[in-house]
């Protein structure tokens, strides 16, 4: 872990970023389709989605590297839709670091200040400061080729922060690092963004990265923002099958609504009647019930739950920190259950009763 040693000189002006129906089209294809979003001042905001969903295109429009086909973009009160990139006071961190190989780390970090014609003593102060912040001050005289991937990414972050950007844009900054380092770097980057109060937009296709770092996440599919909210909300209350499936593991069971009212919803499914706390559906609606594997319990003896279903145990996979059990219900339905090691069951009898609460069952409209 790299802790932060931050002083007041590195601190951005806090501004919101607002997109109004921002669109980028290539012929008939909308790479970004009417994106409406308000990113709050100082927020660490994630664009998350599968390859090709439009997240890089949206980020590049915010950076000024791509011109929108239509719509508007504001940094605070400033309409920057057609403002050249260099006049937006935003800085970008790329996946491939994009460092100058022939320059020292100090020269790389100070590069953006030369372009802004910052006086030499002020430049030295800011470069020293930001190198300390991301803990690369001991590497100042080396060249990028003499640094590890994680260290190079910190140089790229320092180079972006040294210009005191109003907006920091991060394009899959950790994807070239190994899994362990990626996890370590997450909290460091989050701390930098939060301590400097920089409004930051971070692109990733890694849902774990987004869930663990973001203030809010916009989940994108086919150029559209499908859902936008804090990590817990998009994970626990996905608005459709796509979001539920993209954000971690999920069990899906098709069904038909029997009744829905203020007390909740009852759905007829191949597992029997299931009860959900949420409402908003109509009788006879075709729906998909979603439940996260860690929300299901193996019931012992007299244990009770709002929903109880009997299944056959198929297999258990060891996953380091926990176990994943697979169960079968008839020929069609399979259910996965995750248990932590401490709370795990040794399954000796294949006939098992599973239980879950009505709050944990999410009823989603079935797309036709
Ligand atoms: P990845 O995670 O793979 O980088 P992404 O979500 O960032 O994907 P984008 O790079 O924003 O996706 O691309 C969105 C869509 O726009 C894709 O279908 C892509 O093929 C298309 N696209 C991007 N640039 C162009 C272009 N210059 N001409 C035509 N289509 C393009």
């Amino acid at each position: 872990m790299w802790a932060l040693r931050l002083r007041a000189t590195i601190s951005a002006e806090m501004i919101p970023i607002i997109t109004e129906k921002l669109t980028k089209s290539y012929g008939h294809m909308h790479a970004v389709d009417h994106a409406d979003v308000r990113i709050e001042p100082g927020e660490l905001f994630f664009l998350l989605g599968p390859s090709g969903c439009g997240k890089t295109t949206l980020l590049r429009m915010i950076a000024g590297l791509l011109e929108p086909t239509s719509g508007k973009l504001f940094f605070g009160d400033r309409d920057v839709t057609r403002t050249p990139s260099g006049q937006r006071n935003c800085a970008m961190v790329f996946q491939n670091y994009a460092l100058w190989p022939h320059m020292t780390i100090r020269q790389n970090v100070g590069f953006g200040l030369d372009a802004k014609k910052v006086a030499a003593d002020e430049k030295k102060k800011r470069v020293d400061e930001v190198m300390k912040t991301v803990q690369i001050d001991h590497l100042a005289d080396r060249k990028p080729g003499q640094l590890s991937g994680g260290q190079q990414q910190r140089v790229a972050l320092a180079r972006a922060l040294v210009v005191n950007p109003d907006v920091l844009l991060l394009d899959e900054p950790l994807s070239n690092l190994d899994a362990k380092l990626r996890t370590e770097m997450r909290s460091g980057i989050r701390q930098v963004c939060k301590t400097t109060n920089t409004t930051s937009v971070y692109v990733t296709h890694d849902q774990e990265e987004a869930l663990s770092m973001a203030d809010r996440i916009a989940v994108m599919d086919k150029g559209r923002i499908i859902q936008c909210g804090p990590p817990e909300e998009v994970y626990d209350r996905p608005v459709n099958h796509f979001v539920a499936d993209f954000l971690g593991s999920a069990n899906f069971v098709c069904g038909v609504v029997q009744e829905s009212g203020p007390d909740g919803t009852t759905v007829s499914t191949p597992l029997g009647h299931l009860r959900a706390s949420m409402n908003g559906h109509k009788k006879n609606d075709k729906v998909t019930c979603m439940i996260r594997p860690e929300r299901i319990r193996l019931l012992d003896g007299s244990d009770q739950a709002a929903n109880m279903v009997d299944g056959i145990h198929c297999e258990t996979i060891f996953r380091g920190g926990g176990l994943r059990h697979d169960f079968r219900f008839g020929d069609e339905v399979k259910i996965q259950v995750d248990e932590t090691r401490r709370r795990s069951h040794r399954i000796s009898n294949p006939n098992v009763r599973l239980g879950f609460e009505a709050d944990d069952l999410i009823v989603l409209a079935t797309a036709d």
Side-chain angles (χ1 to χ4, degrees):
M1 238 299 279
W2 41 293
L4 289 176
R5 291 173 275 159
L6 196 84
R7 291 182 212 154
T9 47
I10 308 159
S11 177
E13 188 193 341
M14 295 225 292
I15 57 152
I17 302 169
I18 301 140
T19 72
E20 287 180 2
K21 299 188 173 24
L22 202 64
T23 299
K24 181 69 184 177
S25 309
Y26 296 104
H28 294 300
M29 198 274 293
H30 301 312
V32 172
D33 192 359
H34 292 78
D36 276 322
V37 73
R38 181 189 161 90
I39 300 167
E40 297 299 336
E43 189 171 33
L44 176 51
F45 189 87
F46 270 63
L47 300 174
L48 174 70
S51 182
C53 71
K55 49 196 187 298
T56 305
T57 304
L58 181 49
L59 191 81
R60 291 172 71 85
M61 286 195 283
I62 296 172
L65 301 174
L66 263 183
E67 194 167 331
T69 308
S70 60
K72 294 248 178 239
L73 173 67
F74 296 89
F75 284 2
D77 296 335
R78 203 156 63 106
D79 182 343
V80 294
T81 316
R82 310 282 161 196
T83 305
S85 180
Q87 294 170 24
R88 293 189 182 194
N89 198 23
C90 63
M92 194 145 168
V93 177
F94 296 94
Q95 182 176 344
N96 60 3
Y97 321 133
L99 303 178
W100 298 109
H102 59 287
M103 290 185 185
T104 63
I105 299 312
R106 171 177 289 285
Q107 288 166 336
N108 264 283
V109 172
F111 186 74
L113 297 178
D114 294 335
K116 291 191 162 201
K117 301 199 171 25
V118 173
D121 52 345
E122 170 69 9
K123 176 180 160 186
K124 182 175 182 317
K125 197 169 106 190
R126 277 164 69 172
V127 169
D128 284 345
E129 185 64 47
V130 79
M131 285 199 303
K132 276 191 194 133
T133 301
V134 301
Q135 298 205 346
I136 52 168
D137 41 331
H138 60 298
L139 305 171
D141 299 323
R142 290 203 206 166
K143 302 259 174 78
Q146 298 169 308
L147 266 52
S148 71
Q151 289 168 334
Q152 288 187 52
Q153 194 50 285
R154 278 190 260 161
V155 177
L157 189 58
R159 190 184 52 184
L161 288 169
V162 80
V163 298
N164 281 352
D166 291 339
V167 170
L168 179 64
L169 305 172
L170 304 114
D171 188 3
E172 309 233 14
L174 302 181
S175 54
N176 281 349
L177 306 178
D178 68 54
K180 190 161 189 300
L181 189 53
R182 230 167 32 222
T183 313
E184 284 175 13
M185 293 277 293
R186 283 177 193 163
S187 55
I189 291 186
R190 183 175 159 81
Q191 262 184 292
V192 166
C193 295
K194 299 316 293 179
T195 326
T196 55
N197 284 327
T198 313
T199 309
S200 306
V201 187
Y202 189 121
V203 159
T204 185
H205 59 266
D206 182 333
Q207 40 95 6
E208 230 182 79
E209 205 163 285
L211 290 170
S212 61
M213 291 176 69
D215 291 323
R216 277 189 311 148
I217 300 171
V219 184
M220 295 185 69
D221 184 29
K222 299 189 187 85
R224 288 185 167 266
I225 294 175
I226 306 295
Q227 184 170 6
C228 187
E232 298 80 9
E233 187 179 301
V234 285
Y235 184 80
D236 289 338
R237 292 279 178 266
V239 294
N240 67 13
H241 191 293
F242 172 81
V243 176
D245 202 24
F246 194 75
L247 282 171
S249 303
N251 294 295
F252 295 103
V253 183
C254 294
V256 176
V257 172
Q258 294 302 293
E259 61 178 37
S260 188
D263 295 337
T265 300
T266 304
V267 183
S268 165
T269 77
L271 300 180
H273 281 63
L274 299 182
R275 198 67 201 140
S277 307
M278 62 192 299
N279 52 38
H281 294 276
K282 293 197 301 294
K283 187 174 167 63
N284 295 329
D285 276 355
K286 284 187 186 162
V287 293
T288 303
C289 296
M290 189 285 288
I291 180 135
R292 298 279 181 205
E294 70 276 12
R295 293 296 185 179
I296 306 177
R297 307 193 309 275
L298 276 72
L299 299 182
D300 291 323
S302 58
D303 281 356
Q304 297 284 314
N307 294 294
M308 294 191 285
V309 293
D310 293 323
I312 310 277
H313 176 238
C314 301
E315 69 169 347
T316 292
I317 298 168
F318 175 63
R319 308 206 311 165
L323 299 176
R324 168 159 293 179
H325 307 293
D326 278 4
F327 299 93
R328 182 167 55 75
F329 298 81
D331 289 336
E332 281 176 25
V333 182
K334 289 198 172 137
I335 296 284
Q336 295 185 319
V337 178
D338 287 346
E339 289 190 313
T340 59
R341 296 282 294 282
R342 190 178 285 276
R343 298 188 53 201
S344 68
H345 287 71
R346 178 187 292 272
I347 302 174
S348 47
N349 180 349
N351 297 305
V352 174
R353 176 160 290 185
L354 305 180
F356 48 93
E357 301 308 326
D359 269 350
D360 295 326
L361 187 77
I362 306 301
V363 183
L364 303 167
T366 300
D368 290 322

